[in-house]
């Protein structure tokens, strides 16, 4: 039942309670039960990132990389940031992500659990530092073209 609900949420995102705009990226989200339902969009021909941290720093951030390719589909991965690098920790299942392109714009919706054994766990009402970034490249290890952090409440 939960998987069906999330599939509908990805195809036709319901009202998302919160929104943040930074670095040319828009991220909208809501917390539903023990999951975060999010939608990100940007003017980018490469990947977009939504990152979560409990401090105003990139180090230790839980990064959600989303890359939409017309030929290869959608890549959705969770990484941990350890500047100057980041490391793959988890892949978001294909039935928990949707996305597309329209000209130079990209959008992606995803569902992820708030709790994770190897990454920063999140909770509803928590104040966190949100990192929004994008790249000109679909290569997830290519540096961002622009990145900004903002404080938000989940």
């Amino acid at each position: 039942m939960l998987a069906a609900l999330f599939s509908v949420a990805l195809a036709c995102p319901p009202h998302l309670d919160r929104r943040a705009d930074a670095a040319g990226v828009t991220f909208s989200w809501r917390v539903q039960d023990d999951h975060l339902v999010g939608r990100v969009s940007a003017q980018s021909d490469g990947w977009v990132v939504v990152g979560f941290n409990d401090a105003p720093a990139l180090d230790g951030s839980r990064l959600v990389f989303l890359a939409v390719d017309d030929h290869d589909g959608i890549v959705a991965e969770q990484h941990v940031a350890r500047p100057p690098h980041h490391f793959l920790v988890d892949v978001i299942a294909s039935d928990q992500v949707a996305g597309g392109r329209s000209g130079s714009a990209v959008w992606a919706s995803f569902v992820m659990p708030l709790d994770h054994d190897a990454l920063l766990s999140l909770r509803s009402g928590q104040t966190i530092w949100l990192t929004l970034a994008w790249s000109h490249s679909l290569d997830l290890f290519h540096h961002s073209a622009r990145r900004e952090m903002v404080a938000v409440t989940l």
Side-chain angles (χ1 to χ4, degrees), residues 8-82:
V8 171
L10 291 171
C12 303
H15 175 71
L16 299 175
D17 300 330
R18 310 253 186 223
R19 177 181 164 144
D21 295 283
V25 178
T26 298
F27 178 56
S28 302
W29 73 93
R30 70 182 160 85
V31 174
Q32 180 176 324
D33 301 321
D34 57 351
H35 287 77
L36 182 132
V37 178
R39 180 180 172 91
V40 64
S41 61
Q43 293 293 316
S44 169
D45 47 358
W47 54 254
V48 291
V49 160
V50 178
F52 306 89
N53 203 339
D54 54 5
L58 188 58
D59 189 38
S61 290
R62 179 179 180 175
L63 304 175
V64 178
F65 276 87
L66 299 148
V68 180
D69 185 339
D70 292 334
H71 301 289
D72 297 328
I74 303 169
V75 174
E77 297 180 354
Q78 292 191 73
H79 291 225
V80 62
R82 297 290 182 220

Side-chain angles (χ1 to χ4, degrees), residues 82-128:
R82 297 290 182 220
H85 305 289
H86 54 88
F87 302 93
L88 173 64
V89 174
D90 200 4
V91 174
I92 298 175
S94 61
D95 66 342
Q96 302 297 297
V97 65
R101 292 192 165 280
S102 177
S104 63
V106 62
W107 69 270
S109 295
F110 63 95
V111 175
M112 69 176 200
L114 294 171
D115 194 29
H116 196 288
D117 291 339
L119 295 166
L120 175 71
S121 288
L122 306 169
R123 66 183 184 284
S124 181
Q126 176 183 15
T127 298
I128 56 107

